[in-house]
Amino acid sequence: MTAAIRLTTSFATAYGTYSYDQPPQAYLARLRPMATPELYGSLARAASTRSIQAQRARDREAATAHATANKIRTIGPHSLILIINLRQDITTTAGRHQRTQRLAITATKTSDDSWAIHDFQPADAGNAGDTSAGAS
């Protein structure tokens, strides 16, 4: 479980840290080893969105993130959903500001008995996990 918590906070930190002058491939290279293939595909499509890249370049936007585990939402036989607090320090041509988000991040066991991030979304949007009687 400690490894899953460590992976989840590392993923959130890597996800929330970016710079307008960094190519999407470099950003994605940090996320790939932590994500399931399905999630990585979604991340790659999102990172390649030209309008987001153009806006960040125009605003010279960069963010440095710091993630902390808040609580365990669900523990299942092969997954764990954690609530993560993600704080981003964002710099643009307009100045600096902070953004704080609460994310529900799902880590799943892989075939080699390690962990990978399978899903994430705002904590208040759902991601309740396995709510069957076997989950705690």
Side-chain angles (χ1 to χ4, degrees), residues 44-78:
R45 284 187 295 280
S48 299
T49 303
R50 297 225 186 268
S51 60
I52 292 172
Q53 292 175 0
Q55 178 184 352
R56 287 181 178 168
R58 184 185 65 243
D59 297 341
R60 300 178 72 83
E61 182 176 328
T64 302
H66 178 73
T68 55
N70 181 276
K71 69 178 183 175
I72 296 172
R73 178 176 278 178
T74 305
I75 299 174
H78 302 288

Side-chain angles (χ1 to χ4, degrees), residues 8 39 79-82 104-108 116-120 127 129:
T8 304
L39 178 59
S79 67
L80 176 71
I81 300 175
L82 289 163
I105 301 180
T106 304
T108 59
I117 303 303
H118 176 71
D119 186 34
F120 69 99
N127 201 8

Side-chain angles (χ1 to χ4, degrees), residues 25-132:
Q25 297 81 3
Y27 171 74
L28 291 166
R30 291 193 321 261
L31 299 173
R32 179 174 231 148
M34 296 183 271
T36 62
E38 299 82 11
L39 178 59
Y40 180 79
S42 296
L43 293 168
R45 284 187 295 280
S48 299
T49 303
R50 297 225 186 268
S51 60
I52 292 172
Q53 292 175 0
Q55 178 184 352
R56 287 181 178 168
R58 184 185 65 243
D59 297 341
R60 300 178 72 83
E61 182 176 328
T64 302
H66 178 73
T68 55
N70 181 276
K71 69 178 183 175
I72 296 172
R73 178 176 278 178
T74 305
I75 299 174
H78 302 288
S79 67
L80 176 71
I81 300 175
L82 289 163
I83 303 300
I84 299 293
N85 294 331
L86 179 66
R87 187 190 79 234
Q88 291 175 290
D89 296 310
I90 301 170
T91 304
T92 67
T93 54
R96 294 175 169 232
H97 68 279
Q98 278 192 350
R99 179 181 359 186
T100 302
Q101 303 175 66
R102 283 175 33 96
L103 300 173
I105 301 180
T106 304
T108 59
K109 283 275 197 171
T110 63
S111 60
D112 66 355
D113 209 32
S114 61
W115 292 91
I117 303 303
H118 176 71
D119 186 34
F120 69 99
Q121 58 187 281
D124 60 359
N127 201 8
D130 183 2
T131 57
S132 66

